[in-house]
Amino acid sequence: MQQRSVVAQRAGAGPAGASPARASSGSVCRRPRLLVRATAAADSKQQHNIRKEAVERQAAGAADSFHAKFVPFKDVQRGSLSGEQYSLDTVQYRSTDGGLLDVYHDMSELAKFGPEYWKALFDGRVGTTSWPYGSGVWSKKEWVLPELSDADIVSMFEGNSNLFWAERFGREALGMSDLWVKQCGNSHTGSFKDLGMTVLVSQVNRIRKLRPGSISAVGCASTGDTSAALSAYCAAAGIPSIVFLPADKISLAQLVQPIANGALVLSIDTDFDGCMRLIKEVTAETPIYLANSMNSLRLEGQKTAAIEILQQFDWQVPDWVIIPGGNLGNIYAFYKGFKMCRDLGLVDRIPRLVCAQATNANPLYTAFKKGWKHYEPMQAKTTFASAIQIGDPVSIDRAILALDDANGIVEEASEEELMDAAARADRTGMFNCPHTGVALAALTKLRERGVIAPSDRTVVVSTAHGLKFTQSKVAYHSREIAGMACSMANPPVAVRNDLGSVMDALRAKFPAI
């Protein structure tokens, strides 16, 4: 009752156009006012501009009590603020001691609105066309960048990706009844990176308007998916983008996306870690803004996938969430999303997290096996899971904090294990990227050891679409991968152009025909 009274008292001061209407019974209706306004606007035959409407709506009822800022990540680790802080409008990537920064929200102000308020608000925005709240990211705007004008947002209505019940794969491969795959690759550029890039590019858009000339372009080092997301969102905003790619280490589908979006693509004779070192040097000397995940703005968008999972389970918490890990920002982002929901009372716990790494790039796994007592970066070896082929992850400390607080686990998968797992899942209707194969292989190992029970509700995060990795799939099903049995290969069968040959091929596969 107390929570409802808070909602009632603050109804006129809530997020822009977003206060839940109250039913005559006094209960909170799950349909925010912005939906009523959007419906009224749609019913009218007049032309309208959704950006203009958003600005007007925000001006009429902006929630100016919500704030976010950069603070040193070390402050987050120790649970107290040192006083060092930076506006999100500043170009700042590191604290004074060289450590990472984190986006810090004023939780006391957010807590003035009860959990039922936030549930109703977020649920009511899903699937709408009201700018920008129909986006899976910006439907949680108050928890992402609350002070950003709607007019500055660069969005392609990303997020809202489906949660796929992997019923057949769970039953046949793992003996599980409650296995789900969060298809984050069902996004504009085919990967979860869109979730973070809409936030970063929107903030850059704001800074460029506030201080013209302060940012000339946005750049990133990438193993493929980051470059696709950056180039797409920059192209939408009319902001120049620059991409540093390791030569011959990404798929053609990943390479062509930034090229098609007009980015300056530099193919460099090094690995991702080498590209990362170069982009940090370049952005330190030029007005080029750094877009890699050491920039904590990215994580604010990525954390919304965790909130989406809770929404899709009607605010019930899964037992396990398994996430592929490379640069390790994503494991922290999911943790942060789950933690905000717990701290604000929307749920009562955080799911146990599993970070899945390829054996050829497993520095976090190695540290985990040593009880976090000793971490060493490594020279990552080639892996089919190219997006996580990172030996010196920038978010190592973030990942350790997340896993420690979530009673988490780190598991690894060899090249054969990850490719077999992806192929086996594909046989049940999925079409996985190799990184999802890493997570599925890790799940298989944890099931075999009895760590994850048959009835545990488990979510595997699929980070990219399988169509971006057709080369590796073709090689697998053609059995062209040296040293790999490719036990789940299903190559096409060549037959002559006559009925007898066709029937022979059919009966060889299906004897009952």
Side-chain angles (χ1 to χ4, degrees):
M1 294 299 295
Q2 179 62 35
Q3 291 171 347
R4 287 183 178 177
S5 66
V6 170
V7 172
Q9 293 166 10
R10 308 262 320 182
S19 299
R22 292 182 60 84
S24 58
S25 64
S27 63
V28 176
C29 173
R30 297 176 73 85
R31 192 178 190 218
R33 288 180 189 169
L34 71 89
L35 295 183
V36 177
R37 295 181 184 179
T39 302
D43 289 341
S44 71
K45 302 299 183 182
Q46 300 176 357
Q47 292 183 344
H48 60 278
N49 181 299
I50 60 174
R51 285 185 183 274
K52 182 179 179 182
E53 287 180 353
V55 173
E56 292 172 349
R57 186 170 62 238
Q58 190 175 43
D64 55 8
S65 61
F66 300 145
H67 302 286
K69 59 190 176 185
F70 289 128
V71 301
F73 177 69
K74 287 185 178 179
D75 289 4
V76 177
Q77 286 178 302
R78 61 174 169 250
S80 63
L81 298 182
S82 63
E84 182 181 354
Q85 63 183 46
Y86 306 94
S87 166
L88 301 185
D89 295 332
T90 61
V91 177
Q92 189 80 24
Y93 313 117
R94 297 278 191 177
S95 59
T96 53
D97 64 0
L100 295 174
L101 297 174
D102 199 55
V103 175
Y104 182 86
H105 291 265
D106 188 338
M107 296 293 285
S108 62
E109 289 297 328
L110 293 172
K112 291 179 180 178
F113 294 79
E116 295 307 314
Y117 176 90
W118 291 116
K119 290 179 184 179
L121 180 63
F122 295 161
D123 288 347
R125 288 169 170 173
V126 172
T128 70
T129 57
S130 296
W131 181 268
Y133 301 112
S135 157
V137 172
W138 298 109
S139 62
K140 289 89 177 167
K141 182 187 172 189
E142 296 79 10
W143 291 20
V144 178
L145 294 185
E147 295 163 274
L148 188 70
S149 168
D150 290 347
D152 292 334
I153 290 175
V154 183
S155 173
M156 298 178 188
F157 279 39
E158 52 289 307
N160 294 325
S161 58
N162 58 305
L163 189 59
F164 169 72
W165 182 33
E167 188 268 340
R168 184 184 165 200
F169 180 78
R171 183 185 72 249
E172 295 182 0
L174 301 167
M176 299 182 72
S177 59
D178 209 357
L179 174 63
W180 302 78
V181 178
K182 178 63 171 169
Q183 301 277 26
C184 292
N186 291 356
S187 190
H188 179 68
T189 71
S191 88
F192 78 94
K193 299 291 180 70
D194 293 353
L195 303 177
M197 210 57 76
T198 181
V199 175
L200 183 140
V201 174
S202 295
Q203 182 62 31
V204 168
N205 197 33
R206 169 182 166 89
I207 295 172
R208 280 166 58 93
K209 291 179 181 179
L210 290 174
R211 299 191 302 277
S214 58
I215 297 175
S216 60
V218 185
C220 73
S222 177
T223 48
D225 290 335
T226 300
S227 65
L230 173 65
S231 61
Y233 282 86
C234 282
I239 300 172
S241 60
I242 303 167
V243 173
F244 287 24
L245 294 176
D248 303 321
K249 292 183 175 65
I250 69 170
S251 72
L252 289 176
Q254 292 172 300
L255 174 63
V256 75
Q257 287 182 287
I259 291 174
N261 288 137
L264 171 60
V265 178
L266 304 180
S267 181
I268 303 173
D269 185 20
T270 183
D271 58 9
F272 170 81
D273 295 312
C275 289
M276 192 68 225
R277 285 190 292 271
L278 284 171
I279 192 68
K280 286 193 288 187
E281 292 174 6
V282 168
T283 54
E285 299 292 333
T286 67
I288 298 172
Y289 192 81
L290 181 63
N292 283 97
S293 59
M294 66 176 287
N295 187 323
S296 53
L297 288 170
R298 289 260 309 277
L299 308 185
E300 292 305 292
Q302 289 163 209
K303 77 182 182 189
T304 62
I307 306 171
E308 277 186 17
I309 289 172
L310 297 176
Q311 283 183 281
Q312 289 166 315
F313 284 133
D314 198 22
W315 301 102
Q316 299 298 308
V317 182
D319 298 300
W320 297 88
V321 177
I322 304 175
I323 308 163
N327 222 9
L328 303 180
N330 216 17
I331 192 80
Y332 178 66
F334 272 79
Y335 162 76
K336 193 172 185 182
F338 288 129
K339 184 175 185 295
M340 285 190 76
C341 288
R342 184 196 66 184
D343 292 351
L344 290 170
L346 282 70
V347 296
D348 61 359
R349 63 187 176 89
I350 295 173
R352 293 191 68 182
L353 300 179
V354 177
C355 183
Q357 291 206 295
T359 301
N360 285 356
N362 66 349
L364 183 69
Y365 174 78
T366 302
F368 173 74
K369 297 299 285 184
K370 296 177 180 177
W372 303 130
K373 294 178 181 177
H374 185 64
Y375 161 75
E376 285 186 2
M378 64 179 289
Q379 182 70 41
K381 300 175 184 176
T382 300
T383 171
F384 284 104
S386 57
I388 58 176
Q389 186 179 317
I390 298 170
D392 189 12
V394 70
S395 292
I396 179 70
D397 292 333
R398 290 167 170 163
I400 291 173
L401 171 67
L403 291 165
D404 189 54
D405 193 41
N407 192 21
I409 294 173
V410 187
E411 188 52 85
E412 65 173 352
S414 70
E415 294 302 289
E416 189 156 14
E417 287 170 338
L418 72 90
M419 292 297 285
D420 283 346
R424 187 168 189 180
D426 287 351
R427 289 279 189 100
T428 65
M430 289 184 257
F431 195 65
N432 291 293
C433 66
H435 318 89
T436 310
V438 174
L440 292 170
L443 168 61
T444 301
K445 290 182 172 183
L446 294 173
R447 276 289 299 118
E448 289 171 348
R449 298 204 304 268
V451 176
I452 295 180
S455 59
D456 284 351
R457 173 168 284 178
T458 302
V459 178
V460 169
V461 176
S462 179
T463 57
H465 201 290
L467 285 173
K468 302 181 82 169
F469 300 91
T470 53
Q471 291 163 290
S472 63
K473 287 184 179 293
V474 168
Y476 180 91
H477 288 287
S478 301
R479 291 193 171 96
E480 295 174 351
I481 304 174
M484 190 177 292
C486 302
S487 60
M488 302 298 294
N490 183 33
V493 179
V495 296
R496 294 192 304 274
N497 182 24
D498 63 75
L499 179 60
S501 296
V502 171
M503 292 304 296
D504 288 344
L506 291 174
R507 288 175 178 138
K509 181 71 174 179
F510 307 108
I513 292 178

Coordinates of all heavy atoms in Angstrom, one line a residue, residues 333-381:
A333 N 27.3 -6.2 -17.4 CA 26.1 -5.5 -17.8 C 24.9 -6.3 -17.4 O 23.9 -5.7 -16.8 CB 26.1 -5.2 -19.3
F334 N 24.9 -7.6 -17.6 CA 23.7 -8.4 -17.2 C 23.6 -8.4 -15.7 O 22.5 -8.2 -15.1 CB 23.9 -9.8 -17.7 CG 23.3 -10.1 -19.1 CD1 24.0 -9.7 -20.2 CD2 22.1 -10.6 -19.2 CE1 23.5 -9.9 -21.5 CE2 21.5 -10.8 -20.5 CZ 22.2 -10.4 -21.6
Y335 N 24.7 -8.5 -15.0 CA 24.7 -8.4 -13.5 C 24.1 -7.1 -13.1 O 23.2 -7.0 -12.2 CB 26.1 -8.6 -13.0 CG 26.3 -8.1 -11.6 CD1 25.8 -8.8 -10.5 CD2 26.9 -6.9 -11.3 CE1 26.0 -8.4 -9.2 CE2 27.1 -6.4 -10.0 CZ 26.6 -7.2 -8.9 OH 26.8 -6.7 -7.7
K336 N 24.5 -6.0 -13.7 CA 24.0 -4.7 -13.3 C 22.5 -4.5 -13.5 O 21.8 -4.0 -12.7 CB 24.8 -3.6 -14.1 CG 24.6 -2.2 -13.6 CD 25.5 -1.2 -14.3 CE 25.4 0.2 -13.6 NZ 26.3 1.2 -14.3
G337 N 22.0 -5.1 -14.6 CA 20.6 -5.0 -14.9 C 19.8 -5.8 -13.8 O 18.8 -5.3 -13.3
F338 N 20.2 -7.0 -13.5 CA 19.6 -7.8 -12.5 C 19.7 -7.2 -11.1 O 18.7 -7.2 -10.4 CB 20.2 -9.2 -12.5 CG 19.9 -10.1 -13.6 CD1 20.9 -10.8 -14.3 CD2 18.6 -10.3 -14.0 CE1 20.6 -11.6 -15.4 CE2 18.3 -11.1 -15.1 CZ 19.3 -11.8 -15.8
K339 N 20.8 -6.6 -10.8 CA 21.0 -6.0 -9.5 C 20.1 -4.8 -9.3 O 19.6 -4.6 -8.2 CB 22.5 -5.6 -9.3 CG 22.8 -5.0 -8.0 CD 24.3 -4.8 -7.8 CE 24.7 -4.3 -6.4 NZ 24.1 -3.0 -6.0
M340 N 20.0 -4.0 -10.3 CA 19.1 -2.8 -10.2 C 17.6 -3.3 -9.9 O 17.0 -2.7 -9.1 CB 19.1 -1.9 -11.5 CG 20.4 -1.1 -11.6 SD 20.3 0.1 -13.0 CE 19.2 1.4 -12.2
C341 N 17.2 -4.3 -10.6 CA 15.9 -4.8 -10.3 C 15.7 -5.4 -8.9 O 14.7 -5.1 -8.3 CB 15.5 -5.9 -11.4 SG 15.2 -5.3 -13.0
R342 N 16.8 -6.0 -8.4 CA 16.7 -6.5 -7.1 C 16.8 -5.3 -6.1 O 16.0 -5.3 -5.1 CB 17.9 -7.4 -6.8 CG 17.9 -8.1 -5.4 CD 19.2 -8.7 -5.0 NE 20.3 -7.6 -4.9 CZ 21.6 -7.9 -4.7 NH1 22.0 -9.2 -4.6 NH2 22.5 -6.9 -4.6
D343 N 17.7 -4.4 -6.3 CA 17.8 -3.3 -5.3 C 16.6 -2.4 -5.3 O 16.3 -1.8 -4.2 CB 19.1 -2.5 -5.7 CG 20.4 -3.2 -5.5 OD1 20.3 -4.3 -4.9 OD2 21.4 -2.7 -5.9
L344 N 15.8 -2.3 -6.3 CA 14.6 -1.5 -6.4 C 13.4 -2.3 -6.1 O 12.3 -1.8 -6.2 CB 14.5 -0.8 -7.7 CG 15.6 0.3 -7.9 CD1 15.6 0.9 -9.3 CD2 15.4 1.5 -6.9
G345 N 13.5 -3.6 -5.7 CA 12.4 -4.4 -5.2 C 11.6 -5.0 -6.3 O 10.5 -5.6 -6.0
L346 N 12.0 -5.0 -7.6 CA 11.2 -5.6 -8.6 C 11.3 -7.2 -8.5 O 10.4 -7.9 -8.9 CB 11.6 -5.2 -10.0 CG 11.1 -3.8 -10.4 CD1 11.8 -2.6 -9.6 CD2 11.3 -3.6 -11.9
V347 N 12.5 -7.6 -8.1 CA 12.7 -9.1 -7.8 C 13.4 -9.2 -6.5 O 13.9 -8.2 -6.0 CB 13.5 -9.7 -9.0 CG1 12.7 -9.7 -10.3 CG2 14.8 -9.1 -9.1
D348 N 13.5 -10.4 -6.0 CA 14.1 -10.6 -4.7 C 15.5 -11.2 -4.7 O 16.1 -11.4 -3.7 CB 13.2 -11.5 -3.8 CG 12.9 -12.9 -4.4 OD1 13.5 -13.2 -5.5 OD2 12.2 -13.7 -3.8
R349 N 16.0 -11.5 -5.9 CA 17.3 -12.1 -6.0 C 17.9 -11.9 -7.4 O 17.3 -11.5 -8.3 CB 17.3 -13.6 -5.7 CG 16.5 -14.5 -6.6 CD 16.3 -15.9 -6.2 NE 15.5 -16.7 -7.1 CZ 15.9 -17.3 -8.1 NH1 17.2 -17.3 -8.4 NH2 15.0 -18.0 -8.9
I350 N 19.2 -12.3 -7.5 CA 19.9 -12.3 -8.8 C 20.1 -13.7 -9.2 O 20.5 -14.6 -8.4 CB 21.3 -11.6 -8.6 CG1 21.1 -10.1 -8.2 CG2 22.2 -11.7 -9.9 CD1 22.4 -9.4 -7.9
P351 N 20.0 -14.0 -10.5 CA 20.2 -15.4 -10.9 C 21.7 -15.7 -10.8 O 22.6 -14.8 -10.8 CB 19.8 -15.4 -12.4 CG 19.8 -14.0 -12.8 CD 19.5 -13.2 -11.6
R352 N 22.1 -17.0 -10.7 CA 23.5 -17.3 -10.8 C 24.0 -17.1 -12.2 O 23.3 -17.5 -13.2 CB 23.7 -18.8 -10.3 CG 23.4 -19.0 -8.8 CD 23.9 -20.3 -8.4 NE 25.3 -20.4 -8.4 CZ 26.0 -21.5 -8.0 NH1 25.3 -22.6 -7.7 NH2 27.3 -21.6 -8.0
L353 N 25.1 -16.5 -12.4 CA 25.7 -16.2 -13.7 C 26.8 -17.2 -14.0 O 27.6 -17.6 -13.2 CB 26.2 -14.8 -13.7 CG 25.2 -13.7 -13.4 CD1 25.9 -12.3 -13.5 CD2 24.0 -13.7 -14.4
V354 N 26.9 -17.5 -15.3 CA 28.0 -18.4 -15.8 C 28.6 -17.6 -17.0 O 27.9 -17.2 -17.9 CB 27.5 -19.7 -16.3 CG1 28.7 -20.5 -16.9 CG2 26.8 -20.5 -15.2
C355 N 29.9 -17.4 -16.9 CA 30.6 -16.8 -18.0 C 31.3 -17.9 -18.8 O 32.0 -18.7 -18.2 CB 31.7 -15.8 -17.6 SG 32.5 -15.0 -18.9
A356 N 31.0 -18.0 -20.1 CA 31.5 -19.1 -20.9 C 32.6 -18.6 -21.8 O 32.3 -17.6 -22.6 CB 30.4 -19.7 -21.7
Q357 N 33.8 -19.1 -21.8 CA 34.9 -18.7 -22.6 C 35.4 -19.8 -23.5 O 35.3 -21.0 -23.1 CB 36.0 -18.2 -21.7 CG 35.7 -16.9 -21.0 CD 37.0 -16.1 -20.6 OE1 37.8 -16.6 -19.9 NE2 37.1 -14.9 -21.2
A358 N 35.9 -19.4 -24.7 CA 36.6 -20.4 -25.5 C 37.9 -20.7 -24.9 O 38.6 -19.9 -24.4 CB 36.8 -19.8 -26.9
T359 N 38.3 -22.0 -25.0 CA 39.6 -22.4 -24.4 C 40.8 -21.6 -25.0 O 41.7 -21.4 -24.3 CB 39.8 -23.9 -24.6 OG1 38.7 -24.6 -24.0 CG2 41.1 -24.4 -24.1
N360 N 40.6 -21.2 -26.2 CA 41.7 -20.5 -26.9 C 41.8 -19.1 -26.5 O 42.8 -18.4 -26.9 CB 41.6 -20.6 -28.4 CG 42.0 -22.0 -28.9 OD1 42.4 -22.8 -28.2 ND2 41.8 -22.2 -30.2
A361 N 40.9 -18.6 -25.7 CA 40.9 -17.2 -25.1 C 40.2 -17.2 -23.8 O 39.1 -16.7 -23.7 CB 40.2 -16.3 -26.1
N362 N 40.9 -17.7 -22.8 CA 40.2 -18.0 -21.5 C 40.9 -17.4 -20.3 O 41.0 -18.1 -19.2 CB 40.0 -19.5 -21.3 CG 41.4 -20.2 -21.2 OD1 42.4 -19.6 -21.4 ND2 41.4 -21.5 -20.8
P363 N 41.3 -16.2 -20.3 CA 42.0 -15.6 -19.1 C 41.1 -15.6 -17.9 O 41.6 -15.8 -16.8 CB 42.5 -14.3 -19.6 CG 41.5 -13.9 -20.7 CD 41.2 -15.2 -21.4
L364 N 39.8 -15.3 -18.0 CA 38.9 -15.3 -16.9 C 38.8 -16.7 -16.3 O 38.8 -16.9 -15.1 CB 37.6 -14.7 -17.3 CG 36.6 -14.6 -16.1 CD1 37.1 -13.5 -15.1 CD2 35.2 -14.2 -16.6
Y365 N 38.6 -17.7 -17.1 CA 38.5 -19.1 -16.7 C 39.7 -19.5 -15.9 O 39.6 -20.1 -14.8 CB 38.3 -20.0 -17.9 CG 38.3 -21.5 -17.5 CD1 37.2 -22.1 -16.9 CD2 39.4 -22.3 -17.7 CE1 37.2 -23.4 -16.6 CE2 39.4 -23.6 -17.4 CZ 38.3 -24.2 -16.8 OH 38.3 -25.5 -16.5
T366 N 40.9 -19.1 -16.4 CA 42.1 -19.5 -15.7 C 42.2 -18.8 -14.3 O 42.6 -19.5 -13.3 CB 43.3 -19.1 -16.6 OG1 43.3 -19.7 -17.8 CG2 44.6 -19.4 -15.9
A367 N 41.8 -17.6 -14.2 CA 41.8 -16.9 -12.9 C 40.8 -17.5 -12.0 O 41.0 -17.6 -10.8 CB 41.5 -15.4 -13.2
F368 N 39.6 -17.9 -12.5 CA 38.6 -18.5 -11.7 C 39.0 -19.8 -11.1 O 38.8 -20.1 -9.9 CB 37.3 -18.7 -12.6 CG 36.2 -19.5 -11.9 CD1 35.4 -18.9 -10.9 CD2 36.0 -20.8 -12.3 CE1 34.4 -19.7 -10.3 CE2 35.0 -21.6 -11.6 CZ 34.2 -21.0 -10.6
K369 N 39.7 -20.6 -11.9 CA 40.2 -21.9 -11.4 C 41.3 -21.7 -10.3 O 41.5 -22.6 -9.5 CB 40.8 -22.7 -12.6 CG 39.8 -23.1 -13.6 CD 38.7 -24.0 -13.1 CE 39.1 -25.4 -12.8 NZ 38.0 -26.3 -12.4
K370 N 41.9 -20.5 -10.3 CA 42.9 -20.2 -9.2 C 42.2 -19.5 -8.1 O 42.9 -18.9 -7.2 CB 44.0 -19.4 -9.8 CG 44.8 -20.1 -10.9 CD 45.9 -19.2 -11.5 CE 46.7 -20.0 -12.5 NZ 47.8 -19.1 -13.1
G371 N 40.9 -19.4 -8.0 CA 40.2 -18.8 -6.9 C 40.3 -17.3 -7.0 O 40.3 -16.6 -5.9
W372 N 40.5 -16.7 -8.2 CA 40.6 -15.2 -8.4 C 41.9 -14.7 -7.7 O 42.1 -13.5 -7.7 CB 39.5 -14.4 -7.8 CG 38.1 -14.8 -8.3 CD1 37.0 -15.0 -7.5 CD2 37.6 -14.9 -9.6 NE1 35.9 -15.3 -8.3 CE2 36.3 -15.2 -9.6 CE3 38.3 -14.7 -10.9 CZ2 35.5 -15.4 -10.8 CZ3 37.5 -14.9 -12.0 CH2 36.1 -15.2 -12.0
K373 N 42.8 -15.6 -7.3 CA 44.0 -15.1 -6.6 C 45.1 -14.6 -7.6 O 46.0 -13.9 -7.2 CB 44.6 -16.3 -5.8 CG 43.7 -16.6 -4.6 CD 44.3 -17.8 -3.8 CE 43.3 -18.2 -2.7 NZ 43.8 -19.4 -1.9
H374 N 45.0 -15.0 -8.8 CA 46.0 -14.6 -9.8 C 45.5 -14.5 -11.2 O 44.9 -15.5 -11.7 CB 47.2 -15.5 -9.7 CG 48.4 -15.1 -10.6 ND1 49.1 -13.9 -10.3 CD2 48.9 -15.6 -11.7 CE1 50.0 -13.8 -11.2 NE2 50.0 -14.8 -12.1
Y375 N 45.5 -13.3 -11.7 CA 45.0 -13.1 -13.1 C 46.2 -12.7 -14.0 O 47.0 -11.8 -13.6 CB 43.9 -12.1 -13.2 CG 43.7 -11.5 -14.6 CD1 43.1 -12.3 -15.5 CD2 44.2 -10.3 -14.9 CE1 42.9 -11.8 -16.8 CE2 44.1 -9.8 -16.2 CZ 43.4 -10.5 -17.2 OH 43.3 -10.1 -18.5
E376 N 46.3 -13.3 -15.2 CA 47.3 -12.9 -16.1 C 46.6 -12.8 -17.5 O 45.9 -13.8 -17.9 CB 48.4 -14.0 -16.2 CG 49.4 -14.0 -15.1 CD 50.5 -14.9 -15.3 OE1 50.6 -15.6 -16.4 OE2 51.4 -15.0 -14.4
P377 N 46.9 -11.7 -18.2 CA 46.4 -11.7 -19.6 C 47.2 -12.7 -20.4 O 48.2 -13.2 -20.0 CB 46.7 -10.3 -20.1 CG 47.8 -9.8 -19.2 CD 47.6 -10.5 -17.8
M378 N 46.6 -13.1 -21.6 CA 47.2 -14.2 -22.4 C 47.2 -13.7 -23.9 O 46.5 -12.7 -24.2 CB 46.4 -15.5 -22.3 CG 45.0 -15.4 -22.8 SD 44.1 -16.9 -22.7 CE 44.9 -17.9 -24.0
Q379 N 48.0 -14.4 -24.7 CA 47.9 -14.2 -26.1 C 46.8 -15.1 -26.6 O 47.0 -16.3 -26.7 CB 49.3 -14.5 -26.8 CG 49.3 -14.3 -28.3 CD 49.2 -12.8 -28.6 OE1 49.9 -12.0 -28.0 NE2 48.5 -12.5 -29.7
A380 N 45.7 -14.5 -27.0 CA 44.6 -15.4 -27.4 C 44.9 -16.1 -28.7 O 45.5 -15.5 -29.6 CB 43.3 -14.5 -27.6
K381 N 44.5 -17.4 -28.8 CA 44.7 -18.1 -30.0 C 43.4 -18.0 -30.9 O 42.4 -17.6 -30.4 CB 44.9 -19.6 -29.7 CG 46.2 -19.8 -28.8 CD 46.3 -21.3 -28.4 CE 47.5 -21.5 -27.4 NZ 47.5 -22.9 -27.0

